[in-house]
Amino acid sequence: MKSALADRFANTASTEDVLASVRTNGYAIVEDVLPAETVDALIEEMAPYIEATPFGPDAFAGQRTKRTGSLVARSEAGRNLVVHPLSLAVARGLLDSSTEIQLSQTQLISAYPGSVAQKPHKDELIWDFFPFAADHHVMCQFFFALTDFTAENGATLVAPGSDPVLPEEVDPADFKPVEMRKGSVFVFSGKVVHGGGHNTTDAVRQGLIVSYCSGWVRQEENQYLVSPPDVARSYPEDVLRIIGYQQGCFAMGYAGDIEEPMDVLFGRKSATPIVPSEAAARGANKTAKDWSADVAGRTV
């Protein structure tokens, strides 16, 4: 359960190197991904919502921690961030067993002085504690540092290489703090054991979680309430697709009379309904492609 590869990279690192660390260590740290101007604009746009956010109701959520969501609807900088090239490339690489990926959650976390350490956990347990196969990833997450992250101010604690084990099986001595500069990002899988640290300073530590999941599982944050159709129509199409206004796989997420969701959203009439065999041919795995080849041309 020990880290076997380098886990920290410059912002010029290749997608392959970052992915290799996430697959082996469970995470990677990429330095200086966001310029200070982007971080400052994001915090400025979200400030009134952070102010209005209550502290968490229990120790896990953090009774001295605020968790502010709905980033896509509340922040232009946030909408740009959910389609950041690094995030999409790494998420698609890790979730390559899925035909499509989608935004699962956005959460700006403000850990105030005195915020206590979180119970160690794996984030993919949100799906009803379902035991996904060890080599099957359905979640890839990006925790952007909006302030410097230090051991003293509660930087995330991660157990390198802990993907195969249960949280309670990790030796407390194996956790290490994810220390990084403002603008850097902690990339991690849904399988690695981690938890927020204890903020012993007199300053607020802030970071932004942007999480992606496979197109066929339910999103953690309900993006259709965050951005209902009358709001969503103002977004660029790449943002719309990543927040879920697309099919997740060959028969998941269509709308209307078996039509493409984007066509229904914008009132465009599709030339033809979605053809299941053609949609399956774009699938990420051999089973989908074989199924498509077998049924193509048949009438059901």
Side-chain angles (χ1 to χ4, degrees):
M1 201 189 70
K2 297 297 183 182
S3 175
L5 291 177
D7 61 2
R8 190 175 293 267
F9 303 90
N11 59 15
T12 54
S14 69
T15 300
E16 291 72 22
D17 286 346
V18 175
L19 265 173
S21 178
V22 176
R23 290 186 183 280
T24 300
N25 302 322
Y27 72 96
I29 300 164
V30 186
E31 300 280 12
D32 305 321
V33 172
L34 301 180
E37 296 78 19
T38 298
V39 174
D40 294 344
L42 179 66
I43 292 176
E44 182 178 0
E45 289 175 333
M46 293 297 291
Y49 304 106
I50 297 168
E51 178 65 25
T53 301
F55 287 112
D58 58 23
F60 187 79
Q63 292 166 320
R64 290 290 298 158
T65 299
K66 294 185 176 185
R67 297 175 181 271
T68 307
S70 298
L71 180 82
V72 173
R74 291 171 167 176
S75 166
E76 182 178 1
R79 284 193 291 278
N80 292 333
L81 192 53
V82 301
V83 289
H84 192 285
L86 171 69
S87 301
L88 295 184
V90 174
R92 286 190 171 117
L94 188 65
L95 309 182
D96 61 357
S97 60
S98 297
T99 303
E100 296 288 355
I101 67 168
Q102 60 185 335
L103 183 69
S104 181
Q105 180 202 42
T106 62
Q107 191 175 91
L108 199 159
I109 300 174
S110 303
Y112 282 69
S115 179
V116 299
Q118 208 178 24
K119 178 182 175 68
H121 60 282
K122 299 185 177 197
D123 281 348
E124 74 173 21
L125 298 179
I126 61 168
W127 287 292
D128 218 12
F129 290 80
F130 182 81
F132 292 102
D135 62 349
H136 190 92
H137 291 277
V138 294
M139 173 185 272
C140 186
Q141 305 197 90
F142 300 80
F143 197 6
F144 293 93
L146 305 182
T147 60
D148 290 345
F149 277 32
T150 67
E152 292 74 25
N153 71 9
T156 304
L157 299 171
V158 65
S162 57
D163 295 31
V165 303
L166 296 172
E168 55 269 26
E169 296 173 339
V170 179
D171 187 327
D174 287 340
F175 286 96
K176 60 184 290 187
V178 178
E179 297 186 295
M180 55 184 176
R181 293 186 295 272
K182 171 182 173 179
S184 301
V185 64
F186 170 51
V187 186
F188 60 112
S189 77
K191 297 180 182 295
V192 73
V193 180
H194 70 287
H198 182 193
N199 187 352
T200 61
T201 73
D202 59 2
V204 180
R205 175 183 59 81
Q206 289 185 301
L208 174 68
I209 287 279
V210 178
S211 175
Y212 302 87
C213 63
S214 297
W216 53 269
V217 297
R218 183 166 184 174
Q219 294 150 295
E220 184 170 2
E221 181 183 33
N222 192 318
Q223 300 299 330
Y224 309 104
L225 288 180
V226 171
S227 300
D230 59 335
V231 174
R233 290 188 190 98
S234 67
Y235 300 166
E237 289 207 7
D238 60 340
V239 173
L240 285 171
R241 292 185 186 282
I242 203 63
I243 67 175
Y245 282 92
Q246 66 175 339
Q247 278 192 257
C249 54
F250 87 97
M252 186 73 69
Y254 69 80
D257 302 323
I258 320 182
E259 297 168 90
E260 292 285 354
M262 296 285 281
D263 288 338
V264 174
L265 178 65
F266 288 108
R268 303 186 299 232
K269 187 61 180 175
S270 300
T272 60
I274 293 168
V275 180
S277 58
E278 292 178 0
R282 300 191 296 271
N285 60 67
K286 184 177 183 297
T287 301
K289 291 178 171 59
D290 288 348
W291 187 92
S292 171
D294 184 52
V295 303
R298 296 184 186 177
T299 300
V300 178

